Amino acid sequence: MASLKALKIRIGSVKSTQKITKAMKMVAAAKLRRAQSNAESGRPYSARLSDVVSSLASRITVGPQSPRLIAGTGAEQRHLIVLASGDRGLAGAFNTNIVRAARRAADELIAQGRQVSFYLVGRKARPVIGRFYPGQIVGQFDTSEMKNPSYAEAQAIAAEIIERFESGQFDVAHLAYSNFRSVLAQEPTVDQIIPVRPAAANDSAASGASAAVEYEPDEEDILAALLPRNVAVQIYRALLENQAGFYGSQMTAMDNATRNAGDMINRLSIQYNRQRQAAITTELVEIISGAEAL
């Protein structure tokens, strides 16, 4: 059984931890507002750009002159998963859920006889991916110094991914990230970003894209300019969604940690008071027994 001094030291230690977790919760809550606003603001643009590119892709006939980002390589054997995770922990299962979604997608592709490689954005995914898929990490983009995602960084990532695609290192690219829904809900998502998937006929009809439209210049020239930008925008959106999801998960995790610390303090305080009362009672009994002996 722990001594009174040891219990008192432990109670003080837990109280210090509780102050830290409470402060981290408040900081995460303050940062979440801006991150959530950025993520929500970026969704309409990225969704609309993706719809426009998919609609254009469905209108052209793929040929030798078509942009490779839409025509592809003519094969689907080699797949690259661009896995965007965080650089820090203390956010519950945020990073774990993204990695699990990417692993699930990779395992499905491997089961179909495909070759899978990984390009990592952020540090937290590397230990797990390196353990389960040794030798399959082909690159990594360091975001440890990135306080807030910027479009310039998304462009840099997209440029490297497109360069690898143009050099024939893979046939299909997927983007794995956490889609922010609410503070308590983040949805790990894996989307194909290269080559662009043409819009389905029913999707085009539903969005009104089936109307007669004339393009100047033609669709292929427009696509050649829009396709690299679309990849960068989708990566930028993933970074924004990840940041909002991270702060939401961290706020929830720190709130739970603060509550757990409070419960532990209560239990330790009860144990401390009981042992202290037992010690006092023992001393009183000894004093009374000594007085009676005299």
Side-chain angles (χ1 to χ4, degrees):
M1 183 178 294
S3 65
L4 290 176
K5 183 178 180 180
L7 284 172
K8 192 172 184 179
I9 292 174
R10 189 176 180 190
I11 290 172
S13 176
V14 176
K15 284 183 177 179
S16 298
T17 302
Q18 186 183 42
K19 290 180 181 179
I20 295 172
T21 57
K22 187 175 182 180
M24 291 183 67
K25 173 193 170 184
M26 296 175 65
V27 171
K31 292 183 176 181
L32 173 62
R33 296 189 184 96
R34 181 177 180 181
Q36 182 176 356
S37 176
N38 291 339
E40 291 174 347
S41 299
R43 288 173 187 170
Y45 181 78
S46 62
R48 187 56 181 165
L49 180 58
S50 179
D51 290 342
V52 169
V53 172
S54 297
S55 176
L56 287 171
S58 66
R59 293 172 179 271
I60 68 171
T61 302
V62 176
Q65 303 302 321
S66 300
R68 291 195 66 190
L69 288 175
I70 187 172
T73 62
E76 296 184 355
Q77 181 61 26
R78 297 165 300 170
H79 290 250
L80 176 71
I81 297 180
V82 182
L83 175 52
S85 66
D87 289 293
R88 291 172 292 168
L90 300 178
F94 172 77
N95 292 305
T96 302
N97 289 337
I98 300 175
V99 174
R100 185 180 292 118
R103 286 185 56 200
R104 189 182 303 115
D107 292 342
E108 290 177 358
L109 291 170
I110 292 173
Q112 297 172 8
R114 313 296 189 188
Q115 299 175 12
V116 177
S117 56
F118 292 87
Y119 181 91
L120 305 182
V121 180
R123 298 182 302 175
K124 281 297 179 179
R126 189 175 187 91
V128 179
I129 298 300
R131 184 169 69 252
F132 286 96
Y133 307 95
Q136 294 176 249
I137 299 176
V138 297
Q140 182 169 0
F141 189 87
D142 184 15
T143 58
S144 58
E145 302 298 327
M146 182 177 66
K147 294 183 178 180
N148 294 303
S150 68
Y151 183 65
E153 289 160 328
Q155 282 183 308
I157 298 171
E160 185 173 352
I161 298 301
I162 293 173
E163 182 181 354
R164 291 175 179 274
F165 176 70
E166 295 288 350
S167 64
Q169 296 184 27
F170 64 88
D171 302 315
V172 182
H174 309 269
L175 178 61
Y177 64 99
S178 179
N179 200 359
F180 179 79
R181 296 300 183 188
S182 68
V183 175
L184 299 176
Q186 288 85 38
E187 180 184 355
T189 304
V190 181
D191 293 330
Q192 179 176 318
I193 55 174
I194 299 175
V196 174
R197 288 180 173 175
N202 53 350
D203 294 338
S204 299
S207 62
S210 58
V213 179
E214 292 185 0
Y215 295 95
E216 180 64 35
D218 60 22
E219 292 94 329
E220 292 189 359
D221 291 337
I222 295 175
L223 280 172
L226 286 184
L227 286 171
R229 178 176 297 182
N230 179 59
V231 176
V233 167
Q234 301 311 318
I235 292 175
Y236 183 45
R237 177 192 173 183
L239 295 177
L240 293 176
E241 297 280 351
N242 266 11
Q243 187 182 53
F246 172 81
Y247 287 131
S249 296
Q250 187 177 63
M251 188 180 73
T252 302
M254 292 301 100
D255 181 59
N256 292 335
T258 302
R259 294 174 185 272
N260 292 338
D263 294 339
M264 182 175 291
I265 291 171
N266 292 335
R267 290 196 300 269
L268 291 174
S269 297
I270 292 173
Q271 185 179 350
Y272 175 84
N273 291 333
R274 285 177 178 174
Q275 289 190 214
R276 180 170 174 270
Q277 186 64 44
I280 294 173
T281 302
T282 301
E283 290 178 2
L284 289 175
V285 170
E286 291 176 354
I287 293 171
I288 294 171
S289 299
E292 290 179 352
L294 294 175

